[in-house]
Amino acid sequence: MTKDVIALTPAMPDLPTLLAGLYAGGPELGVDTVADGAVVQLCAPDGRPLVAVEAPLLVQVPGEVSRLLGDTGWEAPVWWTEARASTAVAEAGQLAGSFAGRLATVLGGTVWPPEAATTEVVPLATDVSAVPVPATGTPAVDVLTPTTAVVIQDRPLVPLTSWLSDALRTATGSERALQIVTPPTARLTLPTRTALHGLPNRWVVQDPDHGYYDGLSGAVLHWKDGTFAPVRDETGKTVPADVFTDASVTGERQLLLTLRTRHAPDTDLRLGRSLETAFRHVTGDPPAGWSTAEPVNLPWSTRQLTDLARARAPRPTWLVAVGPAHRPAIATTRVLRTPLGVEEDIAVAFGYGEAEAPPLDGLAGLAAELDAGHGLVTLLVSVRSARRDLTVPPRPEAPPLPVAFALGRAEAERLGCPAEAARHYRLGDGSDAAAWERLRDLVGRLGLGGRTPERQGRTAP
């Protein structure tokens, strides 16, 4: 599988240090740049890419390194330099490890995973002339077919890195599916899981004893016509993998907020304030940081994210934010310009242990605050039984159950329903599956049609 190797260093790798790392295979290997210079590639003498290195990233958000990599002994501020090795050449993984090891040695840092670290020169013994030239210029993509871009990952937790974001944009732009292949021990972050929403995008688990299966639905998969597709029985139904079984019940839960806000497109607009309000209401603190990919590297700043969204307009802007260290929390936001104004589509998840209670009774106050000062359109509150650390395992997880729904006064008036404040409707306590029926009935009575938050659950094969 593809080797992702990361050098964590206290200082930014300068050009001489990067070159020292890139010559881990000796001077006969070449160096090239792609993606407008944001990625440097170590290439075989004939130009075939062996290792792709992304520009160093200064991670300034406390807890972000341990969230994604576990205990490395290093935390923010730290420079994160990530290298990806080609799956086509046997020595590529060693070259990536030597590159990262050289950076860490020169700058006094460390390498993740630690067993990959080396500073040795790695001779290229593979006959690269027999290796097919990659059909893609996207370093993250390992296999490209007319219908599918396949990315192979062997890290314990798969974040939505800039590599994966680029692969998703490339796949979407060429009308291809994005399919991520991992071992059965891997988990996804919520942003990665969100990115795979909607078939034929898939999380493909490669189990040495059970073959391939979908990490979200459990359907047995096989490689057919250039893509991973479900195996079907004689009646046309998908075949479930025997290994895809319920995990033990732990009592851990997640509080989920799905909200939309709308603003007038004026010069005083400051985006991110509704997300900050949700974080403060639930955790007592604002988000710790934000970024356009993982790791989340920038300290929280509504001004900076507003500037980014303005620079990208009228194109949508997608970003991720994480919470303070004392409460697992992660959010994704999509900012888009519509005929009605500037809208923020926000999904937030907060993690709770068995002895911790989500603050359900106080969420009517959150709806009122969002309505009064942040242009609330809709807010759906749900609870699900799932991991406190907010990661997604390749196991069945219970669907979320609605707790409350709120309709902002401006949206109510636009629909012809006079309102002096947000309309807040309690649907359940997070344990009653009938709450979905209550929500559907409510949506019908309010005349919202397809403008309500989508049901958050598994994607069927």
Side-chain angles (χ1 to χ4, degrees):
M1 286 195 169
T2 299
K3 262 302 189 192
D4 293 347
V5 185
I6 300 164
L8 300 172
T9 58
M12 179 180 178
D14 56 14
L15 182 58
T17 305
L18 288 171
L19 288 175
L22 288 167
Y23 285 120
E28 66 273 13
L29 299 186
V31 176
D32 193 11
T33 61
V34 296
D36 296 326
V39 176
V40 178
Q41 292 190 144
L42 179 63
C43 302
D46 67 348
R48 285 171 172 79
L50 303 174
V51 177
V53 179
E54 195 164 57
L57 184 71
L58 178 59
V59 178
Q60 305 174 65
V61 179
E64 187 65 358
V65 173
S66 58
R67 180 178 76 89
L68 297 180
L69 303 181
D71 184 12
T72 64
W74 288 80
E75 275 300 345
V78 65
W79 286 92
W80 175 302
T81 307
E82 186 158 347
R84 278 183 57 84
S86 167
T87 54
V89 179
E91 295 84 5
Q94 295 172 276
L95 285 167
S98 183
F99 164 80
R102 290 171 177 227
L103 262 60
T105 299
V106 172
L107 299 174
T110 192
V111 173
W112 181 93
E115 64 271 15
T118 181
T119 57
E120 299 176 356
V121 174
V122 180
L124 186 61
T126 299
D127 180 9
V128 294
S129 64
V131 177
V133 177
T136 172
T138 306
V141 175
D142 295 285
V143 178
L144 189 70
T145 74
T147 62
T148 305
V150 178
V151 177
I152 303 174
Q153 293 275 269
D154 66 349
R155 49 209 294 172
L157 182 62
V158 181
L160 189 62
T161 61
S162 57
W163 302 102
L164 274 182
S165 295
D166 184 49
L168 179 61
R169 284 191 297 270
T170 301
T172 302
S174 60
E175 298 185 343
R176 288 180 170 92
L178 176 67
Q179 297 184 341
I180 301 176
V181 181
T182 76
T185 53
R187 290 168 287 121
L188 307 183
T189 65
L190 280 180
T192 304
R193 195 279 176 242
T194 301
L196 293 178
H197 175 72
L199 295 174
N201 294 343
R202 286 189 186 276
W203 176 15
V204 181
V205 177
Q206 183 180 13
D207 191 297
D209 299 320
H210 300 88
Y212 297 98
Y213 62 92
D214 191 300
L216 300 177
S217 72
V220 174
L221 303 174
H222 61 165
W223 183 255
K224 182 180 180 182
D225 298 329
T227 193
F228 284 101
V231 174
R232 300 186 182 274
D233 61 19
E234 60 277 5
T235 66
K237 295 182 179 179
T238 59
V239 179
D242 293 336
V243 71
F244 192 76
T245 56
D246 291 332
S248 58
V249 177
T250 64
E252 295 177 310
R253 288 180 292 174
Q254 295 174 4
L255 172 64
L256 307 176
L257 308 180
T258 306
L259 63 138
R260 171 173 288 187
T261 58
R262 183 181 300 131
H263 320 277
D266 56 46
T267 56
D268 296 327
L269 174 61
R270 184 67 66 90
L271 297 170
R273 293 174 59 222
S274 50
L275 176 60
E276 180 175 321
T277 297
F279 267 77
R280 287 187 184 277
H281 198 93
V282 176
T283 71
D285 293 294
W290 73 285
S291 185
T292 56
E294 296 176 286
V296 174
N297 66 308
L298 298 172
W300 179 249
S301 170
T302 57
R303 179 186 60 80
Q304 290 182 353
L305 69 88
T306 300
D307 289 345
L308 175 67
R310 281 202 173 109
R312 291 186 172 184
R315 294 172 297 162
T317 294
W318 184 94
L319 59 92
V320 58
V322 293
H326 65 85
R327 172 65 57 201
I330 193 163
T332 60
T333 299
R334 188 169 182 259
V335 180
L336 62 162
R337 182 68 182 269
T338 74
L340 298 175
V342 179
E343 299 191 354
E344 296 176 279
D345 283 336
I346 301 169
V348 195
F350 303 94
Y352 294 86
E354 185 173 5
E356 298 175 307
L360 301 182
D361 292 337
L363 293 174
L366 171 61
E369 187 174 355
L370 290 170
D371 180 62
H374 304 291
L376 177 68
V377 178
T378 57
L379 167 66
L380 175 65
V381 180
S382 305
V383 171
R384 72 182 308 164
S385 296
R387 294 174 62 109
R388 182 182 187 272
D389 65 8
L390 306 179
T391 63
V392 182
R395 293 287 184 272
E397 288 187 317
L401 297 175
V403 172
F405 179 75
L407 181 67
R409 77 181 85 178
E411 183 68 3
E413 292 173 353
R414 198 174 73 83
L415 294 171
C417 305
E420 296 181 357
R423 296 186 171 196
H424 185 266
Y425 305 89
R426 190 65 182 256
L427 301 169
D429 61 1
S431 63
D432 183 5
W436 277 116
E437 294 299 330
R438 299 186 193 108
L439 177 61
R440 278 191 285 268
D441 291 343
L442 176 62
V443 166
R445 286 190 282 110
L446 293 174
L448 287 169
R451 290 188 292 273
T452 56
E454 293 183 1
R455 179 169 180 168
Q456 305 162 11
R458 291 302 187 193
T459 302

